[in-house]
Amino acid sequence: MKNADLLTGITTTGTPHLGNYVGAIRPAIKSSKKKDKLSYYFLADYHAIIKCQKPERIIKSTLEVAATWIALGLDTDKSIFYRQTDIPEILELTWILSCITSKGLMNRAHAYKASLTQNRIDKRKDLEKNITMGLFNYPILMAADILMFNADKIPVGKDQIQHIEMARDIAVKFNNTYGKYFILPEAVVDEKIPILSGVDGRKMSKSYDNTIPLFESEKHLRKLIMKIKTNSLSPEEPKDYSTSILFAIYQAFAESNEIKEMKERYKKGIAWGVMKQELFELLNEVLKQPRQEYNKLIKSPDYIEDILKKGAQRAREYSVPFLGKIKKSIGIQIIR
Ligand code: TRP
């Protein structure tokens, strides 16, 4: 098996929503179809248990995320689609990397620092309250995800850039200590990819509980769209599309001629109710067929399990021999 030209992980704690689709899933599926490039996509379930200690939630989310990616057309023969926990080598590498990573580097990780700050704001005596070793080690696990497959490009959101830089630092440290085993990964952040707002106007995110899940029923999808925040301009008044949440979502899904036309309708003063209906119709049209596929898949966990197991098998064709080499390089091997 070849190393990963491209690799990315999806934490399995939530139900995929429109923001996930536009920000991560759609570009990933597009790149998975590229010729001569091998993409690795995985369900980061060991990352999930850092923030979520509800087993039912993890089980449900793992199934939902896998079904979503497959329903939306991920080519699971061409790319490698697997679950992190099916690759035990990743955890072995996590320990090996932990032994060369300085604690000081981890002290600087944003996620850890944000928790300290929160404790300070809450005026807690113990600033480390509720901070687990899992959270603290998170960037090392992520480095292992990446380095295990000598991944080259890592498409991520801005919030993850620091983690990729840490993976590079860790790789450099290992290479300098034991020899040049790892290539240095690079974060790719596509500035053109829109960041969608949720129904309340803040960034669409499960932590704000403002998402529009991708595969809600038609009825519920309509209901959620009707809830999207607008201003109080009356039907005839001209409206600014550049600040409209409805328009931003519309733009992320429509064809360029439709977008152009919609801009005109904003200038002429489209009523919010009409715009909501337009957005609903567009989204429903785009999502109808994958939704059917998704509903079928969700009822066939065995089928999904088979796909993930096959993906893991292929991924391990790379990780097993590579980890063997790494262990040998650090002085751990069979004595004979
Ligand atoms: N931490 C990433 C996130 O929350 C998910 C992730 C885990 C990941 N391992 C990865 C992304 C490796 C890219 C590469 O979005």
Side-chain angles (χ1 to χ4, degrees):
M1 192 50 65
K2 203 189 149 316
N3 74 313
D5 294 303
L6 204 136
L7 174 145
T8 202
I10 316 108
T11 308
T12 49
T13 46
T15 300
H17 53 72
L18 294 183
N20 298 140
Y21 176 61
V22 170
I25 309 173
R26 187 166 66 186
I29 288 174
K30 203 169 147 213
S31 4
S32 78
K33 301 207 159 94
K34 273 192 199 147
K35 266 207 195 130
D36 313 323
K37 291 272 182 242
L38 183 59
S39 309
Y40 283 58
Y41 300 111
F42 68 95
L43 309 171
D45 46 356
Y46 272 138
H47 275 99
I49 60 169
I50 295 172
K51 12 180 186 174
C52 174
Q53 271 106 38
K54 295 194 181 91
E56 331 72 57
R57 183 86 277 268
I58 309 261
I59 294 168
K60 187 164 174 270
S61 172
T62 305
L63 181 64
E64 287 176 348
V65 174
T68 299
W69 283 63
I70 299 167
L72 288 165
L74 180 73
D75 186 338
T76 54
D77 290 324
K78 199 169 173 307
S79 56
I80 303 188
F81 189 50
Y82 57 100
R83 182 168 38 201
Q84 188 182 32
T85 47
D86 283 335
I87 319 288
E89 294 74 36
I90 294 175
L91 273 198
E92 292 195 61
L93 183 59
T94 303
W95 178 252
I96 295 170
L97 299 178
S98 296
C99 295
I100 54 141
T101 303
S102 63
K103 177 171 174 291
L105 182 69
M106 293 303 102
N107 286 343
R108 292 196 285 278
H110 296 321
Y112 168 62
K113 279 182 18 190
S115 299
L116 289 179
T117 305
Q118 193 55 51
N119 283 336
R120 206 167 288 131
I121 292 168
D122 296 346
K123 299 208 161 38
R124 290 221 160 91
K125 262 202 208 107
D126 176 9
L127 285 186
E128 309 266 351
K129 180 118 179 125
N130 297 329
I131 300 176
T132 62
M133 287 309 294
L135 178 72
F136 191 68
N137 289 334
Y138 179 116
I140 309 182
L141 176 59
M142 191 156 153
D145 288 331
I146 296 169
L147 302 180
M148 189 71 267
F149 299 103
N150 253 331
D152 181 13
K153 301 276 190 281
I154 320 294
V156 283
K158 279 204 184 95
D159 60 321
Q160 297 293 320
I161 297 178
Q162 188 198 34
H163 293 145
I164 313 301
E165 281 165 0
M166 289 180 158
R168 283 174 75 93
D169 289 346
I170 295 170
V172 168
K173 181 76 184 285
F174 189 95
N175 288 351
N176 288 340
T177 313
Y178 296 111
K180 206 169 173 303
Y181 286 85
F182 295 123
I183 64 166
L184 306 186
E186 238 177 87
V188 223
V189 181
D190 189 340
E191 299 287 345
K192 288 190 298 263
I193 290 176
I195 295 169
L196 296 190
S197 299
V199 292
D200 61 356
R202 292 184 291 175
K203 180 185 165 190
M204 194 181 290
S205 161
K206 61 178 175 281
S207 35
Y208 295 142
D209 199 18
N210 65 356
T211 70
I212 301 178
L214 272 169
F215 298 129
E216 288 291 313
S217 66
E218 214 173 288
K219 213 171 121 195
H220 201 192
L221 176 66
R222 181 196 295 271
K223 233 176 156 175
L224 283 172
I225 292 173
M226 296 305 154
K227 268 175 52 182
I228 296 176
K229 217 173 121 189
T230 57
N231 57 26
S232 53
L233 290 176
S234 57
E236 311 283 278
E237 278 179 90
K239 297 177 177 65
D240 178 9
Y241 58 80
S242 68
T243 54
S244 161
I245 304 166
L246 291 165
F247 182 82
I249 302 176
Y250 186 88
Q251 188 171 30
F253 287 88
E255 305 288 340
S256 57
N257 57 326
E258 293 171 318
I259 297 170
K260 223 171 125 191
E261 218 171 281
M262 190 51 81
K263 282 182 180 170
E264 288 309 312
R265 291 177 71 187
Y266 263 72
K267 283 181 203 158
K268 285 191 197 127
I270 186 173
W272 289 130
V274 176
M275 179 55 191
K276 285 182 171 176
Q277 181 61 26
E278 290 279 356
L279 179 61
F280 165 72
E281 278 167 22
L282 173 72
L283 287 177
N284 198 41
E285 189 55 41
V286 175
L287 298 175
K288 206 177 209 161
Q289 197 256 326
R291 184 198 291 134
Q292 271 174 11
E293 190 59 33
Y294 175 85
N295 288 332
K296 254 198 278 170
L297 285 164
I298 280 287
K299 289 192 206 101
S300 330
D302 289 348
Y303 175 79
I304 294 178
E305 190 64 29
D306 276 354
I307 291 183
L308 293 174
K309 281 281 183 300
K310 274 188 201 121
Q313 208 176 357
R314 289 168 69 211
R316 293 190 74 200
E317 284 172 28
Y318 192 87
S319 62
V320 172
F322 189 36
L323 183 71
K325 280 188 207 161
I326 288 166
K327 281 177 151 177
K328 221 169 157 179
S329 81
I330 62 176
I332 291 176
Q333 56 184 320
I334 303 160
I335 302 172
R336 211 185 289 147

